[in-house]
Amino acid sequence: MNETYAIAIHGGAGALSKGKLTPEQETEILSVLSTMVEAARQHLAAGESALNVVQQAVRSLEDCPWFNAGHGAVLNSDGGHELDAAIMCGHTLAAGAVSGIRFSPNPVDVARAVMENSEHVYLGGAGAEAFARAQGLPQVDNHWFTTPLRRQQLDTAKAVEAVILEPTASDYKYGTVGAVALDRKGHLAAATSTGGITNKKFGRIGDSPVIGAGTYANDLTCAVSATGHGEHFLRHVAAHNIAARMQFGGQTLHAAATAVVFEDLPSTGGEGGVIAVDARGNLVLCFNTEGMYRGWGNYEQSAQSRIYED
Ligand code: ASP
């Protein structure tokens, strides 16, 4: 086994203007992120697979009400929750994804079950829910995901909508979680989970569960998890775009990720960011929004976490 390993996690990107969070809230979020990175580092150091580590990290992020995934996910226009998640193994290119599920506390676990125990990659809606039940995965009432903050954000979004058809204030719209890792066998993995965007309608699905858009991993290049305005990440096939720039254009991870985040996405008005790791353990965490909840660490650097630009 190699000595090298690396992990990065995110809790969403958006207009996280300084001053919106109290200093105590900031400290708590940063400490939550660092604790999760440190746990992931220990597992990687012990030889755990990147796939298991990203699943575990995303599960912890889903369980944390600060983030828009699992408990604490945003509300759709009907006042309910529809959750999306994906996981991908860079070694085998196996992948699992679900969208529009309403009763699974940890959607990333359902995505992993799709990958391991079905012959498919992507299950949606009622079928994905039936699969989760058949797998014996835990079920909760849809209201279990709701927090007072998300209820208030839906009320705000609906109020804004009454006068502006396309709200531009993005702070209450984003907040997906994700993780990418390189393990000591040299394998990469990525996972992403989200409640989507506040006030979403008509069964809207974003980039997070779409392999190549919001989630991608390939040992040949990199593992990527995205966050931001999903429609743009879909149109730019953002995560695979980064891998393709490396594989076919010879770009470094840094050049590829920054080109997508600072050139491609903004060319259509896309806001957000990505976390990415390559097969040598280089990490990139970049965003074109005011902030992105993020944490990282590797075989020689203990856990770091940030919200805004450095
Ligand atoms: N990308 C997610 C989506 O569009 C939202 C987010 O990252 O916060 O569903």
Side-chain angles (χ1 to χ4, degrees):
M1 274 203 275
N2 309 322
E3 197 196 348
T4 316
Y5 59 84
I7 170 81
I9 63 175
H10 71 76
L16 308 164
S17 316
K18 281 191 185 171
K20 269 194 186 153
L21 296 170
T22 65
E24 293 75 28
Q25 287 172 326
E26 272 186 39
T27 307
E28 188 185 329
I29 293 174
L30 289 170
S31 128
V32 162
L33 290 168
S34 287
T35 303
M36 290 177 186
V37 169
E38 211 40 56
R41 279 184 76 235
Q42 278 170 24
H43 287 125
L44 288 165
E48 190 62 77
S49 71
L51 193 61
N52 285 345
V53 166
V54 295
Q55 181 183 5
Q56 176 58 51
V58 166
R59 194 188 297 133
S60 302
L61 287 156
E62 287 174 338
D63 289 342
C64 180
W66 276 112
F67 306 116
N68 170 23
H71 181 57
V74 298
L75 287 153
N76 64 18
S77 66
D78 295 331
H81 303 272
E82 293 165 308
L83 309 164
D84 308 331
I87 189 164
M88 184 163 187
C89 170
H91 177 43
T92 60
L93 302 188
V98 289
S99 60
I101 61 172
R102 295 168 295 167
F103 309 116
S104 294
N106 291 106
V108 72
D109 290 349
V110 187
R112 177 78 187 260
V114 170
M115 174 181 145
E116 304 285 354
N117 304 332
S118 85
E119 57 194 356
H120 307 298
V121 167
Y122 194 161
L123 302 179
E129 287 165 349
F131 175 78
R133 278 196 304 278
Q135 289 287 305
L137 291 168
Q139 303 280 293
V140 292
D141 189 273
N142 194 245
H143 295 303
W144 178 85
F145 297 100
T146 310
T147 61
L149 174 70
R150 298 308 185 195
R151 175 69 54 195
Q152 180 203 321
Q153 288 171 332
L154 177 64
D155 293 345
T156 308
K158 281 188 180 280
V160 172
E161 232 179 10
V163 286
I164 304 170
L165 273 178
E166 290 225 331
T168 51
S170 49
D171 55 340
Y172 57 82
K173 289 172 64 187
Y174 308 145
T176 293
V177 307
V180 295
L182 167 72
D183 65 29
R184 293 185 57 195
K185 287 189 174 159
H187 299 318
L188 298 171
T192 312
S193 180
T194 188
I197 55 177
T198 301
N199 206 19
K200 65 184 182 181
K201 301 181 183 69
F202 310 122
R204 180 266 186 193
I205 300 165
D207 60 312
S208 307
V210 177
I211 299 302
T215 307
Y216 189 69
N218 187 335
D219 281 3
L220 288 179
T221 50
C222 60
V224 180
S225 172
T227 173
H229 195 158
E231 280 67 11
H232 294 273
F233 285 76
L234 283 162
R235 289 161 63 190
H236 291 281
V237 202
H240 186 263
N241 186 339
I242 294 171
R245 284 169 172 275
M246 295 174 69
Q247 188 171 357
F248 307 118
Q251 293 189 345
T252 63
L253 178 69
H254 183 266
T258 53
V260 169
V261 169
F262 298 110
E263 294 169 26
D264 293 353
L265 289 165
S267 72
T268 56
E271 293 182 339
V274 300
I275 55 170
V277 60
D278 70 15
R280 303 168 92 169
N282 294 306
L283 287 165
V284 176
L285 302 90
C286 59
F287 49 97
N288 61 31
T289 47
E290 283 183 57
M292 180 169 80
Y293 299 114
R294 60 200 188 280
W296 69 96
N298 65 19
Y299 64 106
E300 53 183 8
Q301 186 183 33
S302 62
Q304 307 290 309
S305 55
R306 302 274 191 285
I307 301 176
Y308 313 106
E309 293 277 4
D310 289 334

